[in-house]
Amino acid sequence: MTSRTSAETRPSKTGAPLIRMERVRKEFGRDIVAVSDMSLTIERGDFISFLGPSGCGKSTALRMIAGLLPITAGHIDIAPSQTDTEHDLGFVFQEPTLMPWATVFENVWLPLRLAGLSRTAASDRVRAALVEVGLSRFENAYPRELSGGMKMRVSIARGLVTRPRILLMDEPFAALDEMTRTKLNNDVIRLATEHDLTVIFVTHSVYEAVYLSNRIAVMAARPGRVVADLTVNAPWPRGEEYRVSPEFSAEAKRVSTILKGTLDDADIDH
Amino acid sequence: MTPTSTIDDSAQEAPPPVNMAALARARRQRILAWVLPVATIALAVGLWEFLVWYHEVPHYLIPAPSLIWSTLLAEGPSLMQSAWFTVRLTFFSLALAIIGGVVLGALFALSRPVEMSLFPFAVILQVTPIVAIAPLILIYVHNTFTALLICAWLVAFFPILSNTVVGLRSTDHNLRDLFSLYRATPWQRLRHLLSPSALPYFMAALKIAGGLSLIGAVVAEFVAGATGTNTGLASRIIESSFRNEIPKMFAALVLVSLMGVAIFLMTSLASKLVLGRWHESEIKRET
Ligand SMILES: Nc1ncnc2c1ncn2[C@@H]1O[C@H](COP(=O)(O)OP(=O)(O)OP(=O)(O)O)[C@@H](O)[C@H]1O
Ligand SMILES: [Mg+2]
């Protein structure tokens, strides 16, 4: 508990590999190589960002980790769970991806409902998840009655309701305004800390990647691959003080420089 | 120390006070939505009555509304019997169209090969005018009611089929992924994802099919030219036309129109009840 200040020693970070990707390749049809030779070991407690230009295979990689896409070659291992959570993985999409015909409560209930829990059996956990994202008063609202940021919170609550170990987020805040995005960034940090989550966060914002993560996997396109694996030198957990600190600017600048260098080397056209 | 928890403050605020003026305006709008159509119809009927009286139009050309009304009352029992026949025909055919369209639509959505092999038949049946097929059906099927039912069904079922297929196919692909992620069974997928996604498409088709089943029922009976006691409103119209009973023709016509309006109101209400809270097509915009 005393070592909470360093990125290298996030509380739950044990150094134990949780997700191991080895020479993963994904082809669509004959000609499109979306991901090529991607190797990456993600440790328990990591907050890793996939950072790269549009079309470099970030979503594809994430969907393969989630088991939503078959892998063409290579393999992905996820260490078996120690606890008895119903579901190991939470996934937050770029769009809120809510069912418009269902209330906020029913949307968050969905993962538990599919696992066979009745409304009453699930209600405590659904309500707890809604409290965590600050939407307890909106459980009977329909998605269309919520703002973009609130919809995203519902989506996050749904991702967390199964108490997963791993949370995969695919550019979750790309469509939001800067202020909402900042707030949600802080919420994600808080939730990741409280729930001991291992997070893979896809983004194409250097600032967001630096603010949130302790590791950044820089990806380049054609074919999609990891061209750099950076460690972010910053305290954990982070808050608004960090965002306005000179350290943050310096770190963002450092990552930008590396990013530009590696992408130039990778010789991509974007 | 934990990071500053920044819950969306706006999310926790009390809802803004209700705007009384806006509420009153909304109520006025709702009342107008009923009063205006009723008033225009009343006006049109009044004008009709006046013009017939003023120009002394003979009743075998255009009967006055008052005469149509008294004919309706006088011929009530026999017309009601015919109306009941047409109502039954319409609702049976609509029910069969719903069942057939949804079942076949689900099959199509589940399997491309089934769709590719059967869709041409559905299209051929749809594009061939019902008046052209009806005589054949009437020859092959001896029970008149069944023959008429098949004709009306043929007209009504296509929109339900095609909309069900489109509806089942237009589920959000991210939601599909979400259901895969949580290992939904095929049944759960159908129940919680496919059916609700297809519902707006289905309701739109229902509004069309409701009207079409009535048209099908009337047209088929016209073609059948059925006479006798156990027949529908179309037969009453043909009979009256032969006997030059124009007021009775109009009376039967009024009943057909009323049925059409009733079907329209019912399907619209159903759509409102089913989709009202969430689907754009049924949501009232606050202005
Ligand atoms: N289902 C698919 N079929 C064919 N090609 C695909 C498919 N999905 C992705 N691709 C291709 O794979 C490549 C990587 O796509 P991906 O969506 O993973 O990129 P991304 O890094 O997530 O981009 P963005 O930042 O725009 O979301 C792209 O060239 C894309 O065109
Ligand atoms: Mg993407």
Side-chain angles (χ1 to χ4, degrees), chain B residues 137-201:
Chain B
I137 294 173
L138 283 155
I139 291 171
Y140 298 142
V141 182
H142 289 297
N143 183 311
T144 315
F145 188 79
T146 313
L148 296 178
L149 194 59
I150 292 173
C151 295
W153 174 79
L154 278 177
V155 180
F157 122 105
F158 192 77
I160 303 227
L161 169 72
S162 62
N163 270 29
T164 304
V165 175
V166 174
L168 288 174
R169 290 245 167 89
S170 45
T171 40
D172 181 278
H173 65 100
N174 280 336
L175 276 176
R176 279 173 200 257
D177 276 353
L178 193 75
F179 274 68
S180 306
L181 187 73
Y182 293 114
R183 301 195 186 92
T185 61
W187 169 247
Q188 287 176 323
R189 210 175 265 271
L190 180 68
R191 163 89 180 69
H192 298 302
L193 179 61
L194 295 178
S195 312
S197 312
L199 208 52
Y201 295 84

Side-chain angles (χ1 to χ4, degrees), chain B residues 12-27:
Chain B
Q12 297 293 338
E13 268 168 23
V18 185
N19 181 342
M20 284 323 232
L23 266 184
R25 202 176 328 125
R27 187 168 329 117

Side-chain angles (χ1 to χ4, degrees), chain A residues 54-60 63 94 170-171 202 204:
Chain A
S54 189
C56 69
K58 306 180 296 287
S59 299
T60 306
R63 285 155 51 79
Q94 176 162 355
D170 190 357
E171 296 188 40
V202 169
H204 43 225

Side-chain angles (χ1 to χ4, degrees), chain A residues 15-114:
Chain A
L18 180 60
I19 301 170
R20 198 196 308 257
M21 303 177 73
E22 261 173 281
R23 302 183 61 96
V24 171
R25 181 180 179 84
K26 178 67 195 179
E27 296 170 11
F28 288 108
R30 284 237 176 88
D31 322 308
I32 304 171
V33 181
V35 171
S36 159
D37 259 344
M38 182 168 176
S39 298
L40 200 65
T41 303
I42 296 166
E43 288 165 14
R44 193 175 300 275
D46 261 346
F47 197 124
I48 183 166
S49 287
F50 287 179
L51 178 65
S54 189
C56 69
K58 306 180 296 287
S59 299
T60 306
L62 208 62
R63 285 155 51 79
M64 284 192 290
I65 295 172
L68 293 172
L69 265 184
I71 303 165
T72 309
H75 52 95
I76 299 177
D77 296 317
I78 300 182
S81 161
Q82 311 288 314
T83 55
D84 56 345
T85 49
E86 280 117 355
H87 212 277
D88 243 10
L89 276 172
F91 202 116
V92 178
F93 296 88
Q94 176 162 355
E95 291 90 32
T97 312
L98 303 178
M99 303 179 290
W101 55 84
T103 61
V104 165
F105 181 97
E106 287 161 347
N107 268 289
V108 177
W109 172 29
L110 180 77
L112 300 177
R113 189 181 204 181
L114 294 177

